[in-house]
Every structure is written in structure tokens, then in C-alpha cells.
């Protein structure tokens, strides 16, 4: 339980600071702590944690005066929700090894983009054109499929999308990313909660098994989410202190190390 709390504290900071849901940390940690847990169990519990954590982050951002613009948040949320629904279904069909390799390759590819690509420049906020908003929704759907298959919340897809297509300034990235993830992961949570897993032997201890609903263990999810809620405000403060270039490099190194860990070991 102590490791789950520590995991939550770390996830709370990086999710609100970097705009990612924390799945890139949660998923490999769960694979390590519960090696007998099937990928769908890892994915379901990860999405549940991201759902709770994203809601808390959005609440903290709104309190800090950063309110997401509906015209940008809506296509992102709808696209992610649709994609995660499809990805959640696929995760129950794909072999465990394939899912792990997809996760590892995805994180390494995004790490390369973050470390080698141009730095996001702070710019004036502007609402994208209608064609760009449709494109945001379409790409979000593809990102949602990947999120549903791997257990990522979709933030690592949404962040580059907001920078390149949405022309959203760095200081506003996290609030839009977390808003989209809150709605998107809800669909994945519902989908994976309704599955009968009575035929699977759970690796969780008895006190956590009481909270198993479908592929989601709400005991684990709540423990991690509570830890994350404690440090969420720290991440919000960091977005106002640390510049975009430094944040991008930190995120890239995290993705690179975790992607290599999943692919090699």
C-alpha cells in the first residue's frame, strides 16, 4: 500500500504540471507490482486513477483562474471518449505481450519527439478555426484508441496536438489536457467495469479484492488518486514557475526511460 501512495504523490505532480494523466508512470509500476495482473486489469485501473486525478486537476485549475474554452475542450473530450471506448474493447482481444510492446514503442516515439523537436513557444491564446477543431477531434479519437489499448490517459497524445494544431500556449496545456482526459477516461472506466472477470485469478491481496469491479480495482485506484490529489496543487504551481523548454525535456526523459524499461525487460 505504501508504494501505491508514493505512486499517487508522484502522479499528482506530473499530471497537473505536465498535462499527462500519469498512465505512463502508473502502467509500468502496476506491471512491476502485480506481474500476474492481465493487461486489461492494468489498463482499467490506470484509466480509473486518471479519471479521478484529472477531475481533481481541473478543479484546481479552475480555482486558479484557468477555465478551459468549450470550443477546444469539447472536440478533444469527444474524440478521446470515442477512441478510448474502441481501444478498451481492443485491449481485451490483443495478447498481453503485444500490448506491452505497443506501450513501450509509443512512449519512446513520443520521448524522441519531445527531446528532439522544437520547443513550444509561449503565444497568445486564440481559438482554432472550425477545420482545425474537427481535426483535433479526429486525431484525439486515434489517440484515444491508443490510450484505451495501453492504459495511458491520452494526455501524451493531446499535449503535442494542442501545441501543433490548437495553437494553445504552454501555460494552458495542462488544463485542456486534463479536461479532455476526465471525459475520455470515463468511457473507458465504464466499459471495463462491465466485464465479467470471475474466471481470472486476481493477484491483489484480499483487502483490495473487495473493491474489484470488472477489470478495475477501485481500492488501488482510490489509494493512488488520494495521493495524487495531495500533490496536484504543487503541479499547478509549477506550471507558473518552470518554463516550457525545461518541462518538455523532463517529460521526454521520463518517457524514454519508461519506454526502454517496458521494451527490454
Amino acid at each position: 500500500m505504501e508504494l501505491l501512495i508514493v505512486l499517487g504523490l508522484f502522479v499528482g505532480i506530473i499530471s497537473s504540471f505536465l498535462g499527462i494523466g500519469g498512465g505512463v508512470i502508473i502502467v509500468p509500476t502496476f506491471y512491476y507490482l502485480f506481474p500476474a495482473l492481465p493487461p486489461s486489469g492494468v489498463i482499467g485501473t490506470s484509466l480509473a486513477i486518471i479519471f479521478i486525478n484529472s477531475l481533481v486537476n481541473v478543479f484546481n485549475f479552475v480555482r486558479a483562474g484557468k477555465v478551459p474554452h468549450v470550443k477546444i475542450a469539447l472536440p478533444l473530450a469527444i474524440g478521446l471518449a470515442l477512441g478510448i471506448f474502441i481501444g478498451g474493447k481492443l485491449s481485451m482481444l490483443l495478447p498481453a505481450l503485444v500490448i506491452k510492446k505497443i506501450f513501450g514503442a509509443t512512449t519512446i516515439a513520443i520521448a524522441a519527439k519531445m527531446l528532439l523537436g522544437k520547443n513550444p513557444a509561449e503565444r497568445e491564446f486564440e481559438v482554432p478555426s472550425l477545420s482545425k477543431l474537427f481535426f483535433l477531434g479526429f486525431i484525439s479519437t486515434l489517440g484515444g484508441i491508443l490510450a484505451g489499448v495501453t492504459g495511458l490517459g491520452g494526455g501524451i497524445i493531446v499535449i503535442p496536438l494542442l501545441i501543433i494544431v490548437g495553437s494553445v500556449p504552454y501555460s494552458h496545456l495542462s488544463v485542456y489536457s486534463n479536461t479532455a482526459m476526465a471525459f475520455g477516461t470515463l468511457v473507458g472506466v465504464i466499459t471495463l467495469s462491465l466485464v465479467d472477470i470471475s474466471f481470472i485469478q486476481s493477484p491483489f491481496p484480499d483487502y483490495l479484492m473487495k473493491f474489484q469491479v470488472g477489470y478495475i480495482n477501485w481500492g488501488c485506484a482510490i489509494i493512488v488518486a488520494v495521493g495524487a490529489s495531495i500533490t496536484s496543487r504543487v503541479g499547478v504551481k509549477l506550471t507558473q514557475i518552470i518554463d516550457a523548454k525545461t518541462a518538455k525535456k523532463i517529460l521526454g526523459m521520463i518517457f524514454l526511460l519508461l519506454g526502454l524499461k517496458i521494451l527490454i525487460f
Side-chain angles (χ1 to χ4, degrees):
M1 179 181 290
E2 292 81 5
L3 287 176
L4 292 176
I5 295 174
V6 172
L7 173 63
L9 294 173
F10 187 50
V11 166
I13 294 175
I14 67 167
S15 63
S16 55
F17 171 42
L18 299 172
I20 62 176
V24 72
I25 304 295
I26 298 167
V27 171
T29 302
F30 269 57
Y31 279 135
Y32 172 76
L33 293 177
F34 309 107
L37 187 65
S40 290
V42 174
I43 292 166
T45 304
S46 173
L47 292 178
I49 294 168
I50 294 168
F51 167 66
I52 298 172
N53 192 41
S54 296
L55 285 178
V56 173
N57 288 340
V58 171
F59 175 75
N60 286 331
F61 275 117
V62 171
R63 286 186 62 183
K66 293 184 178 180
V67 181
H69 197 292
V70 176
K71 285 187 177 181
I72 296 178
L74 191 60
L76 285 173
I78 294 175
L80 269 183
L82 177 60
I84 289 176
F85 173 77
I86 297 171
K89 294 292 186 181
L90 288 175
S91 72
M92 293 181 275
L93 302 175
L94 295 174
L97 183 60
V98 171
I99 292 176
K100 288 185 179 181
K101 296 304 181 185
I102 291 174
F103 176 85
T106 300
T107 53
I108 290 176
I110 294 173
K113 172 66 176 176
M114 290 288 182
L115 293 172
L116 303 177
K118 294 181 180 180
N119 293 317
E122 191 68 25
R123 67 194 80 180
E124 292 296 323
F125 177 80
E126 58 181 28
V127 178
S129 64
L130 186 60
S131 60
K132 282 189 175 182
L133 290 175
F134 276 112
F135 186 66
L136 280 174
F138 174 71
I139 300 299
S140 292
T141 301
L142 298 181
I145 293 174
L146 186 61
V149 169
T150 60
L152 303 173
I156 59 174
I157 305 296
V158 171
I159 289 294
L161 189 62
L162 287 170
I163 294 172
I164 298 169
V165 180
S167 300
V168 174
Y170 165 74
S171 58
H172 289 72
L173 291 176
S174 290
V175 64
Y176 282 102
S177 177
N178 276 279
T179 301
M181 286 188 293
F183 285 97
T185 53
L186 175 60
V187 175
V189 167
I190 294 173
T191 301
L192 294 174
S193 292
L194 299 177
V195 180
D196 179 17
I197 61 164
S198 57
F199 60 92
I200 296 177
Q201 184 175 2
S202 174
F204 293 116
D206 291 339
Y207 71 90
L208 287 177
M209 271 307 299
K210 299 176 182 178
F211 303 98
Q212 189 74 34
V213 180
Y215 275 116
I216 298 175
N217 189 284
W218 284 101
C220 283
I222 291 173
I223 291 172
V224 176
V226 167
S229 67
I230 294 172
T231 54
S232 173
R233 291 188 183 182
V234 176
V236 174
K237 291 291 185 183
L238 287 176
T239 64
Q240 302 167 351
I241 299 172
I242 299 180
D243 63 276
K245 180 180 178 180
T246 303
K248 184 183 176 185
K249 298 303 180 185
I250 293 173
L251 184 58
M253 287 304 301
I254 291 174
F255 285 1
L256 180 60
L257 293 174
L258 291 175
L260 290 172
K261 174 68 170 64
I262 290 294
L263 282 179
I264 296 173
F265 300 100

